[in-house]
Amino acid sequence: MLRQQDVGHRIVVRRIVGIREGRTLFSDALGELVELSETHITLSTDAGPLRVPVAEVHRAKRVPPARRPTAAAVVALELAADEAWPAPVRGRLGDWRLRWADGWTGRANSALPVGDPDRPLPAALDAVQRWYADRGGPALVNTPLPLAAPVGAELDARGWTSRPPVLVQTVPLRTLTAPPAAAPLSATAPPVTLADAPADDWLAIAAGRKGGLPDAARQVLTGTPRVRFAELREDGRLLAVGRGTVTGGGRWLGVSLLETVPQARRRGLAAAVVRALAGWGAAEGTTHAFLQVEQSNTGAVALYRGLGFTTHHTYLTRVAPAA
């Protein structure tokens, strides 16, 4: 059977799906193990997330990886994403990044354990907990998988919990800027405009999604040197928004805070926003786009799949147990 050390690796699961004429029926699933609990196994498969009750598992094992990005590629993308979501308070622990933004979003308030922390792993995690305790917040660690699997194993031993798995997805920019094969719903959408700074109603939509906007949040949103705020309006009313950044030495367009107001959904407006940001990214010289999305957000994952995004790697946000 599987162990916590297998999280982040490719596995095959044979599950029991029924009984016919006295014979047990099985189905096989192949994907990346993103969560292992006492009751369920969660995989990221080509068809989307799959959550299998442990009681239905006949056999499960790790298998050789499919073609996957190198460790260096994961580190480079994680650092580009860190640039795109810059926490106003930052620290270093060797190569590890420590980030604080008054508790606004997990990404801006977590340690990023890539590289060498310049001390043994247990001592590094002790130092992470002290750094966040000094700021009055819970200690969070983002663990890119399988790169940070050793960190995850140590956190498991310490009783840290996990937030839902997040997919880090990428696409060549030429895929987003190519003319669609068929006219999309967004073909009749109002034009998307890109602003250097977010308008008040843009911020209101972001606040509704993220549960408020403290001063630290505004620094996160506007702190990247090359950033644009996409707006799609109809009769003056803001219907869809998105944020684009250029980081990673100019290679990466980061797409974040993509949102359509409920009454304007299913019109292709989100796709129109992404394509507008891609056009800006192309003009800035980027070659690839990335975004981060919770695996459980099946609607968003389907949208991004339709635009050509595929999963580069996953990460878990780990949460320290209450003191």
Side-chain angles (χ1 to χ4, degrees):
M1 285 297 288
L2 302 170
R3 302 171 297 167
Q4 289 295 335
Q5 293 92 321
D6 296 316
V7 172
H9 293 272
R10 195 165 179 247
I11 65 167
V12 63
V13 175
R14 172 158 290 186
R15 64 186 298 191
I16 300 169
V17 294
I19 296 177
R20 180 184 299 165
E21 298 177 353
R23 298 180 60 185
T24 303
L25 303 179
F26 300 100
S27 176
D28 292 341
L30 180 68
E32 182 178 297
L33 177 63
V34 295
E35 190 172 22
L36 177 63
S37 73
E38 293 181 358
T39 60
H40 287 81
I41 293 173
T42 304
L43 298 84
S44 174
T45 74
D46 289 342
L50 176 64
R51 194 165 184 256
V52 181
V54 169
E56 296 179 4
V57 176
H58 174 68
R59 186 179 303 149
K61 64 179 182 179
R62 192 192 297 191
V63 295
R67 184 178 179 183
R68 62 165 64 245
T70 65
V74 173
V75 170
L77 182 48
E78 283 292 327
L79 295 181
D82 178 55
E83 290 179 59
W85 202 253
V89 178
R90 304 178 68 84
R92 294 289 290 269
L93 199 65
D95 295 328
W96 288 16
R97 269 69 172 172
L98 307 176
R99 307 171 292 191
W100 179 247
D102 292 339
W104 189 74
T105 76
R107 278 181 286 168
N109 292 274
S110 58
L112 180 61
V114 296
D116 183 358
D118 200 27
R119 66 201 69 193
L121 179 56
L125 293 175
D126 290 342
V128 167
Q129 289 194 261
R130 289 193 299 270
W131 195 85
Y132 284 99
D134 288 345
R135 283 149 187 84
L140 306 178
V141 175
N142 274 11
T143 54
L145 298 173
L147 179 71
V151 177
E154 177 67 22
L155 295 177
D156 290 334
R158 294 175 176 231
W160 288 48
T161 57
S162 298
R163 291 182 178 175
V166 174
L167 309 180
V168 182
Q169 299 198 311
T170 64
V171 65
L173 208 67
R174 63 179 180 273
T175 300
L176 294 179
T177 54
L185 291 174
S186 57
T188 59
V192 178
T193 60
L194 303 179
D196 295 338
D200 289 343
D201 50 358
W202 194 105
L203 291 171
I205 290 177
R209 177 173 176 179
K210 294 293 187 181
L213 286 179
D215 289 343
R218 294 171 185 261
Q219 294 181 57
V220 171
L221 293 175
T222 61
T224 306
R226 289 197 278 177
V227 60
R228 289 295 184 273
F229 299 88
E231 305 176 347
L232 192 154
R233 297 178 182 273
E234 188 172 66
D235 298 326
R237 184 162 177 255
L238 188 59
L239 299 183
V241 300
R243 174 177 174 269
T245 55
V246 174
T247 60
R251 180 187 182 194
W252 289 103
L253 167 72
V255 177
S256 60
L257 288 174
L258 187 66
E259 186 77 11
T260 303
V261 299
Q263 55 270 41
R265 289 172 182 166
R266 301 188 181 278
R267 293 176 51 189
L269 305 189
V273 167
V274 172
R275 294 189 186 282
L277 289 170
W280 170 71
E284 291 289 311
T286 64
T287 58
H288 291 75
F290 78 89
L291 52 80
Q292 296 165 315
V293 58
E294 282 194 7
Q295 181 177 264
S296 58
N297 189 348
T298 55
V301 171
L303 166 68
Y304 302 142
R305 184 185 301 120
L307 290 169
F309 283 89
T310 59
T311 298
H312 186 273
H313 65 277
T314 63
Y315 74 76
L316 294 175
T317 298
R318 306 299 304 270
V319 184

